[in-house]
Amino acid sequence: MQRPTAVKRLLNTWKKQKGKRLDCRVNANIIKESTYYMVAKVTMKFENFTKTDLETLTREGDSWKVSSSVNVYK
């Protein structure tokens, strides 16, 4: 799999999630990818703080689901 495609799938997965719109800059990088799972680092830069998530996603059928998330705030 090519990284740009994986990043696009990851971002599309997050866009489908319900919730509030966040006013921040987002940087997402795929750290590890296979057919059935991927690990991504997502950094969200807000005006007064930064949130960094380490996300594990698993493939369920034709879509990706977040199976675990570790969050750090600075």
Side-chain angles (χ1 to χ4, degrees), residues 12-72:
N12 285 337
T13 298
W14 288 320
K15 286 178 184 178
K16 292 178 185 176
Q17 294 177 352
K18 293 181 181 179
K20 296 181 181 179
R21 184 178 177 128
L22 303 176
D23 186 16
C24 64
R25 284 183 279 134
V26 178
N27 183 22
N29 295 305
I30 304 299
I31 296 171
K32 176 72 177 169
E33 181 183 5
S34 75
T35 304
Y36 300 104
Y37 77 95
M38 75 171 85
V39 178
K41 179 181 177 184
V42 181
T43 304
M44 292 175 271
K45 178 79 172 158
F46 294 86
E47 184 176 341
N48 298 317
F49 70 96
T50 300
K51 179 183 178 201
T52 302
D53 297 336
L54 187 60
E55 307 275 350
T56 302
L57 295 96
T58 54
R59 182 183 293 277
E60 292 185 11
D62 292 335
S63 63
W64 291 92
K65 303 286 182 179
V66 175
S67 60
S68 68
S69 179
V70 177
N71 311 306
V72 176

